Amino acid sequence: MRKASRWTFAGGGLDLDPLKGPAILGILNATPDSFSDGGRHQDPARALDAALRMIEDGAAVLDVGGESTRPGAAPVSLDDELRRVLPVIEAIRGVTNHPISVDTTKAEVARLALAAGANIVNDVSAFRFEPAGLAHAVAAGAGVVLMHTPARPAEMMAHAGYDDVVADVAAHLVARALHVEAAGVARSAIVLDPGFGFGKGRADNYSLLRKLGFLAAKGYPVLAGVSRKRMIREATGDNPTLVEHGTTAAHMAAMMNGAALLRTHDTAAAVAARAVFRELAAGGLDG
Ligand code: HH2
């Protein structure tokens, strides 16, 4: 069970308070092939409606992405990704200053998304696929989410294989954090993410969830992205309602183990789970 957290985070227009439980990132996939919300947010007006609903639910950040990263997903061209992501960010920025993260591994998408008003770069490669994205994050004073993946989506499952998945992932992420700090990102603007499902098998994913506290003890806020992932469906089966209940159960485990942010599709469900977590946490989590 988690001990008192030692990190602070003030990046990207977002103030996290470890005592209040995690911030909720609402997933706005502007992709036609996402496994979970298949293209529903491609039209900027509909994406904006979804974003406003998520804010009303209690989402602290809107995570806008234009490239599916599910295992084996086809890569998307720069032009296509820009065409998907920028109108959505612009539409949201037209009506609210709410924090926005851009879920991209492309440096140019990061640059233009930040120029359009995004506050955080959520890079599932931790700036390894296109290192130039890091300079854009530094120049914009953006927050960064550094996620672990062993390889690009097309190849990542072939790389699943670890001596000790928890120690390996934590060591990789801390090294990436030190790298981005050296490049000029404030320590207080860095989030680490073990990358559930990215080049990890079922047992790896559940080891990471069970021992998320090991990563949370490294001194950075930790994001957990488990929503509707295969690791959930492996446990619940594919019925969407049951997958949602399974996601909520995994969210509670992540919160109990120190998650500072939850990346999720159903923001209202995550906010409800957090409300229960807060009741538990109010009495102390160590005894
Ligand atoms: N997972 C996905 C995409 N981006 N970013 C972070 N930081 N952490 C994650 O776990 C993560 C992520 C994949 O999930 P989803 O967006 O639902 O699907 P798709 O890849 O099809 O967009």
Side-chain angles (χ1 to χ4, degrees):
M1 206 71 28
R2 71 178 199 165
K3 302 275 179 277
S5 303
R6 283 180 286 108
W7 47 264
T8 56
F9 184 83
L14 183 67
D15 269 319
L16 296 182
D17 179 347
L19 299 177
K20 290 192 180 153
I24 310 299
L25 264 80
I27 300 170
L28 277 177
N29 276 327
T31 59
D33 58 347
S34 282
F35 60 77
S36 47
D37 63 358
R40 275 193 287 130
H41 301 141
Q42 261 191 296
D43 167 13
R46 294 177 73 183
L48 178 59
D49 281 350
L52 294 177
R53 259 198 319 278
M54 287 176 175
I55 293 170
E56 225 177 275
D57 288 342
V61 186
L62 304 165
D63 189 45
V64 179
E67 177 168 38
S68 174
T69 46
R70 72 174 190 275
V76 171
S77 73
L78 173 61
D79 281 352
D80 280 348
E81 193 173 332
L82 288 172
R83 251 195 303 277
R84 292 173 182 183
V85 163
L86 291 182
V88 174
I89 294 173
E90 284 159 5
I92 297 169
R93 264 301 158 267
V95 298
T96 171
N97 284 325
H98 212 73
I100 297 173
S101 54
V102 59
D103 183 352
T104 189
T105 58
K106 292 190 178 69
E108 190 62 2
V109 175
R111 185 178 75 80
L112 291 171
L114 292 167
N119 315 85
I120 297 170
V121 180
N122 171 23
D123 186 331
V124 301
S125 81
F127 299 107
R128 286 186 307 131
F129 294 169
E130 292 198 16
L134 179 53
H136 300 317
V138 172
V144 298
V145 178
L146 305 177
M147 201 198 79
H148 173 274
T149 185
R152 290 184 182 272
E155 299 119 41
M156 66 189 179
M157 293 318 290
H159 288 72
Y162 304 86
D163 290 335
D164 174 338
V165 67
V166 177
D168 289 4
V169 166
H172 170 94
L173 288 174
V174 169
R176 292 309 294 166
L178 295 177
H179 173 77
V180 307
E181 278 179 69
V185 178
R187 185 184 174 98
S188 62
I190 297 171
V191 172
L192 304 185
D193 178 345
F196 289 100
F198 286 78
K200 286 128 194 147
R202 185 174 183 168
D204 296 324
N205 288 317
Y206 280 98
S207 291
L208 286 164
L209 183 55
R210 187 181 311 112
K211 297 185 184 161
L212 201 66
F214 182 80
L215 184 57
K218 297 295 177 193
Y220 301 88
V222 169
L223 183 152
V226 294
S227 183
R228 299 178 187 171
K229 287 212 171 141
R230 184 164 62 188
M231 64 182 283
I232 305 296
R233 289 181 281 117
E234 281 166 342
T236 63
D238 288 333
N239 176 300
T241 304
L242 300 183
V243 171
E244 215 54 67
H245 292 315
T247 295
T248 297
H251 281 161
M252 183 55 93
M255 289 188 278
M256 296 294 282
N257 289 327
L261 301 102
L262 301 176
R263 179 181 182 275
T264 195
H265 301 90
D266 187 336
T267 44
V271 168
R274 183 179 63 186
V276 173
F277 170 79
R278 282 178 176 162
E279 299 289 333
L280 283 167
L285 289 173
D286 291 330

